[in-house]
């Protein structure tokens, strides 16, 4: 009780916009099909709207097909189902670290699939890297070789774009190079684009994998999106995957009975997706504006404290280096700092939760009301400035 939550990646900036839209009369509709067992891939009317929506907002060169869409109750369910259908028990999936840590539990839920980390470092070494925590094909190749030496069967690669927790947005050239690497090694690629509409700096251009004119290996490329982040509806539990692989779509259909979305919720989501006037003129521009303002406030506070951070413009978080507040550069001390914050009623996410290889990094969520951010920062700063943590 009374905790300032700067740890959970939720957008709490747009409730007024959503409440007004969701309470319009066009949302109040029930018909018999909504109350019966659905097609477990999602009602056809929703998959139709999803395909149109992704075609437009992902800037696909060709219209995407409804039959390639699967809708489930959130992207966590999709990760579980995709791992179970693409992998055999004890297979492994490559993932660059740091990464959103809950994916570890998601992929192992059904079939004991493991994640094999591709470590990214905060220091920029001499070589091809030009920025901290940069992913390169060379790093993917090295980790794949190490995994094979350990006797692991790598079946897939997970890419987060925009990235959680780094806020990184990959260029088209980077995306293509990662996809070509995967094709060379016959790996499936799961691309999580759940923050694709939460890029709030107009100078930064997000390119969806679905915008590429000719994927290197379309049968092994599977793109995820959901409403939790971009629509600020984490509690609605609606996620979707687009894949041209018909065998995969049919396999996901078999698991859909565990992950179905209620019929009335599917109708509501279809209504939102087709309301382009509201999306383009009201919600999306105002959401980006509020994200930009909240982000600016947070980074100015971090600058005042001379706290290093990655200056990115996507997602709900800032990846900040608090290692100067550690008594020694260890993960044990990082955990002590995290406990200090929690004891004084501020929840942050420490780097260990994201499998970061460098101690002292924390993910700070900024998508909350200003007075909450101010209070959370005030409490945090008081307790990181004392020499001994209690």
């Amino acid at each position: 009780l009374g905790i300032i939550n700067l740890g959970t990646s939720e957008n709490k900036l747009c409730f007024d916009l959503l409440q007004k839209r969701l309470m319009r009369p066009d949302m109040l509709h029930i018909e018999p099909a909504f109350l019966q067992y659905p097609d477990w891939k999602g009602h056809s009317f929703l998959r139709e709207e999803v395909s149109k929506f992704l075609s437009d907002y992902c800037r696909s060169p060709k219209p995407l097909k409804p039959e390639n869409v699967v809708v489930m109750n959130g992207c966590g369910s999709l990760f579980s189902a995709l791992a179970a259908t693409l992998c055999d028990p004890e297979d492994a999936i490559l993932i660059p670290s740091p990464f959103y840590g809950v994916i570890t539990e998601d992929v192992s839920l059904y079939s004991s699939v493991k994640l094999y980390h591709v470590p990214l470092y905060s220091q920029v070494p001499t070589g091809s890297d030009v920025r901290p925590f940069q992913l390169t094909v060379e790093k993917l190749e090295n980790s794949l070789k190490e995994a094979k030496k350990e006797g692991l069967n790598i079946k897939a690669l997970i890419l987060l774009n925009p990235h959680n927790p780094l806020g990184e947005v990959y260029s088209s050239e980077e995306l293509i190079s990662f996809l070509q690497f995967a094709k060379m090694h016959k790996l499936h690629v799961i691309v999580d684009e759940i923050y694709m509409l939460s890029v709030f700096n107009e100078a930064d251009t997000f390119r969806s994998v679905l915008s590429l004119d000719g994927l290197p290996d379309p049968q092994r490329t599977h793109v995820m999106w959901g409403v939790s982040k971009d629509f600020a509806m984490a509690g609605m539990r609606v996620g979707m995957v687009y894949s041209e692989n018909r065998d995969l779509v049919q396999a996901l259909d078999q698991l859909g009975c565990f992950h179905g979305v209620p019929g009335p919720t599917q109708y509501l989501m279809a209504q939102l997706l087709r309301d382009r006037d509201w999306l383009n003129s009201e919600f999306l521009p105002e959401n980006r504006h509020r994200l930009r303002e909240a982000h600016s406030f947070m980074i100015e506070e971090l600058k005042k404290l001379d706290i290093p951070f990655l200056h990115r413009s996507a997602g709900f978080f800032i990846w900040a280096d608090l290692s100067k507040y550690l008594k020694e550069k260890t993960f044990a001390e990082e955990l002590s700092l995290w406990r200090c914050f929690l004891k004084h009623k501020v929840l942050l996410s420490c780097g260990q939760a994201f499998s970061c290889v460098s101690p002292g990094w924390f993910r700070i969520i900024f998508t909350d009301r200003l007075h909450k951010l101010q209070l959370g920062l005030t409490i945090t700063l008081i307790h990181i400035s004392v020499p001994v943590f209690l």
Side-chain angles (χ1 to χ4, degrees):
L1 291 176
I3 287 178
I4 303 295
N5 187 351
L6 304 181
T8 305
S9 188
E10 294 175 313
N11 182 351
K12 299 175 181 175
L13 301 173
C14 294
F15 176 74
D16 57 328
L17 304 176
L18 293 166
Q19 182 185 42
K20 183 179 176 182
R21 180 64 188 89
L22 294 174
M23 292 183 72
R24 285 190 201 168
D26 67 320
M27 291 297 177
L28 304 176
H29 177 72
I30 293 289
E31 55 187 68
F34 298 175
L35 305 183
Q36 309 304 320
Y37 293 124
D39 180 334
W40 292 121
K41 297 187 296 295
H43 279 293
S44 59
F45 66 80
L46 178 56
R47 287 186 284 123
E48 183 76 36
E49 290 305 325
V50 168
S51 63
K52 291 176 182 176
F53 177 86
L54 294 179
S55 294
D56 291 346
Y57 289 90
C58 294
R59 302 184 185 278
S60 172
K62 297 177 183 177
L64 301 176
K65 298 175 181 178
E67 59 266 30
N68 295 338
V69 173
V70 177
V71 179
M72 287 187 176
N73 58 341
C75 287
S77 295
L78 283 169
F79 269 123
S80 295
L82 285 165
T85 50
L86 296 175
C87 302
D88 293 321
E90 308 304 326
D91 283 348
I93 299 175
L94 283 181
I95 188 168
S97 69
F99 62 90
Y100 173 58
V102 179
I103 297 174
T104 303
E105 287 76 41
D106 290 339
V107 301
S108 66
L109 183 62
Y110 290 151
S111 50
S112 304
V113 174
K114 303 290 189 295
L115 293 178
Y116 193 86
H117 301 171
V118 181
L120 308 179
Y121 295 90
S122 57
Q123 300 300 317
V124 180
T126 54
S128 60
D129 288 17
V130 295
R131 61 184 186 270
F133 298 105
Q134 183 176 358
L135 177 62
T136 64
V137 170
E138 182 182 8
K139 292 173 186 176
L140 291 170
E141 292 279 6
N142 289 340
S143 292
L144 182 61
K145 287 177 186 173
E146 289 299 315
K148 288 181 176 177
K149 281 183 188 176
E150 294 175 28
L152 292 172
N153 184 30
I154 301 292
K155 275 289 196 63
L157 165 68
I158 291 174
L159 296 173
L160 311 178
N161 184 40
H163 192 278
N164 178 8
L166 302 177
E168 194 82 65
V169 177
Y170 296 128
S171 68
S172 299
E173 293 75 20
E174 287 174 315
L175 283 173
I176 291 168
S177 69
F178 303 151
L179 295 174
Q180 287 173 336
F181 155 82
K183 181 181 181 180
M184 183 187 308
H185 296 285
K186 297 183 179 179
L187 302 179
H188 289 269
V189 185
I190 302 169
V191 188
D192 181 353
E193 297 186 350
I194 198 166
Y195 290 98
M196 73 172 183
L197 299 178
S198 299
V199 180
F200 48 86
N201 186 337
E202 294 174 2
D204 293 327
T205 302
F206 168 76
R207 288 293 305 272
S208 169
V209 163
L210 294 173
S211 73
L212 301 176
D213 193 2
L215 291 170
D217 193 352
Q219 287 295 306
R220 291 193 181 95
T221 306
H222 322 294
V223 184
M224 292 169 48
W225 182 75
V227 302
S228 294
K229 312 303 181 182
D230 290 340
F231 280 14
M233 292 179 173
M236 195 64 77
R237 310 314 305 132
V238 179
M240 51 213 68
V241 63
Y242 188 87
S243 176
E244 293 184 17
N245 188 314
R246 300 303 304 155
D247 290 336
L248 174 65
V249 170
Q250 290 174 14
L252 292 174
D253 192 16
Q254 300 301 306
L255 289 170
C257 60
F258 303 116
H259 300 298
V261 178
T265 301
Q266 293 195 44
Y267 175 80
L268 183 150
M269 291 315 311
Q271 288 292 92
L272 281 185
L273 294 177
R274 69 167 60 100
D275 190 353
R276 302 306 174 80
D277 287 343
W278 178 75
L279 284 172
N280 294 333
S281 64
E282 293 186 46
F283 180 75
L284 291 175
E286 181 61 21
N287 182 44
R288 282 192 291 266
H289 171 70
R290 295 181 187 186
L291 288 172
R292 199 157 46 242
E293 280 197 332
H295 180 262
S296 296
F297 168 78
M298 188 65 79
I299 64 172
E300 288 307 314
E301 295 301 310
L302 294 175
K303 286 177 181 176
K304 289 175 189 175
L305 294 160
D306 197 27
I307 292 175
F309 60 91
L310 292 193
H311 198 310
R312 303 290 185 265
S313 302
F316 306 161
F317 32 76
I318 295 170
W319 190 237
D321 182 6
L322 304 185
S323 62
K324 70 179 182 180
Y325 300 107
L326 305 182
K327 287 183 285 187
E328 54 185 36
K329 298 288 180 71
T330 66
F331 285 111
E333 283 302 310
E334 179 186 278
L335 195 59
S336 294
L337 181 57
W338 177 82
R339 286 177 176 145
C340 173
F341 295 147
L342 191 59
K343 179 180 178 179
H344 295 94
K345 305 297 185 182
V346 176
L347 176 64
L348 298 177
S349 298
C350 61
Q352 291 174 75
F354 302 92
S355 299
C356 185
V357 293
S358 308
W361 288 84
F362 282 72
R363 189 187 72 172
I364 305 172
I365 301 297
F366 61 82
T367 45
D368 207 339
R369 289 164 294 176
L370 186 59
H371 74 274
K372 287 274 190 76
L373 299 181
Q374 289 172 326
L375 181 58
L377 279 172
T378 300
I379 295 170
T380 300
L381 301 180
I382 288 171
H383 294 289
I384 60 177
S385 61
V386 297
V388 178
F389 300 112
L390 302 177

